Amino acid sequence: MNFKHIFWFEMADYEKIEYLRKFSVAVIGSRMLAEILWRCGVGCIRYIGDVVTPVDVRIDPTYDYLDANDYDVMHPNPDSCVISYPYPHDYKELKKQLRGIDVVVAHKYEDVAARIAEELGVPFIPKIITTFLPDGVSFFEVKMPQIEENPISYSITCSVQAGEIMRIFTGYELPVIAPEAYVVDLKSKSYLKKVELERI
């Protein structure tokens, strides 16, 4: 693995970065997050989405990295793999797609994904910045806050979530654990606002 192509390589030692190749993440409904994780060096990303559009094909992180445009600061990591699945709309089939995954992230179909993550005993990350651990607060015990849905908020959320996943895998500091959470607030100086998830 060429470490200089991993954008966060100075945050952890090389052994931990190399170890990322052993991990797999399921991303439901966020092609952007799937690409960021791929560029981070995560070994396998299972992307699950509703449809494959021409835009998906154009930004698909599985393109040949040698053909990247000159403005592309990071050449993607060819040691990772991305496997795309259409969303099955069948609980058993989705659970089958998520078996063997180390972390589940869902920007869509959060309730179903959270339930399966709990059954599989893996961390779950919804479309805000927090992590539900298998032995911690359940996704179903809290109320999700209202979030801004716009391209900038979405981009910041995906970027921070990728960093949280790196923390889970490398042990470089702790991720944000529910009921603590962050949401993007473009009016805030740091663009993030800390919130405590309200218990139901």
Side-chain angles (χ1 to χ4, degrees):
M1 180 182 291
N2 191 340
F3 291 108
K4 70 179 183 179
H5 291 162
I6 305 300
F7 77 89
W8 63 285
F9 77 98
E10 292 180 343
M11 291 169 53
D13 58 44
Y14 291 160
E15 291 76 22
K16 286 185 178 179
I17 297 173
E18 182 69 25
Y19 196 62
L20 283 174
R21 294 172 65 182
K22 301 179 186 300
F23 290 105
S24 57
V25 179
V27 179
I28 301 173
S30 177
R31 177 65 79 176
M32 178 182 287
L33 179 57
E35 180 170 356
I36 294 170
L37 292 172
W38 183 62
R39 289 169 182 264
C40 288
V42 173
C44 185
I45 296 104
R46 293 187 204 170
Y47 174 72
I48 300 168
D50 288 323
V51 293
V52 177
T53 68
V55 173
D56 288 330
V57 172
R58 202 167 66 244
I59 66 170
D60 192 322
T62 57
Y63 68 87
D64 184 354
Y65 77 103
L66 294 175
D67 293 335
N69 295 317
D70 291 336
Y71 67 81
D72 196 2
V73 178
M74 295 302 151
H75 288 300
N77 174 16
D79 294 324
S80 295
C81 76
V82 177
I83 303 169
S84 295
Y85 298 97
Y87 185 78
H89 295 283
D90 178 82
Y91 190 86
K92 288 182 180 177
E93 185 61 30
L94 181 60
K95 188 172 182 179
K96 190 187 303 181
Q97 290 175 353
L98 297 180
R99 280 202 181 102
I101 288 294
D102 298 300
V103 175
V104 175
V105 185
H107 282 228
K108 294 177 109 179
Y109 309 108
E110 289 176 295
D111 289 355
V112 177
R115 181 70 64 205
I116 293 173
E118 283 187 3
E119 290 177 8
L120 296 176
V122 297
F124 173 70
I125 300 174
K127 62 181 177 181
I128 62 171
I129 300 157
T130 193
T131 301
F132 291 90
L133 297 176
D135 57 351
V137 173
S138 170
F139 175 80
F140 301 99
E141 295 174 349
V142 296
K143 181 180 177 184
M144 287 290 107
Q146 292 292 320
I147 59 171
E148 293 183 47
E149 305 249 358
N150 61 63
I152 295 173
S153 297
Y154 172 66
S155 300
I156 293 171
T157 298
C158 288
S159 298
V160 176
Q161 284 180 329
E164 293 292 282
I165 292 167
M166 295 304 100
R167 288 180 173 186
I168 291 170
F169 290 162
T170 65
Y172 179 81
E173 297 191 13
L174 290 174
V176 178
I177 306 294
E180 184 180 306
Y182 285 87
V183 294
V184 173
D185 180 2
L186 298 178
K187 296 173 188 158
S188 170
K189 189 174 181 181
S190 66
Y191 299 110
L192 294 175
K193 180 172 74 174
K194 186 175 181 179
V195 296
E196 186 82 10
L197 298 177
E198 185 183 330
R199 300 271 186 155
I200 297 174

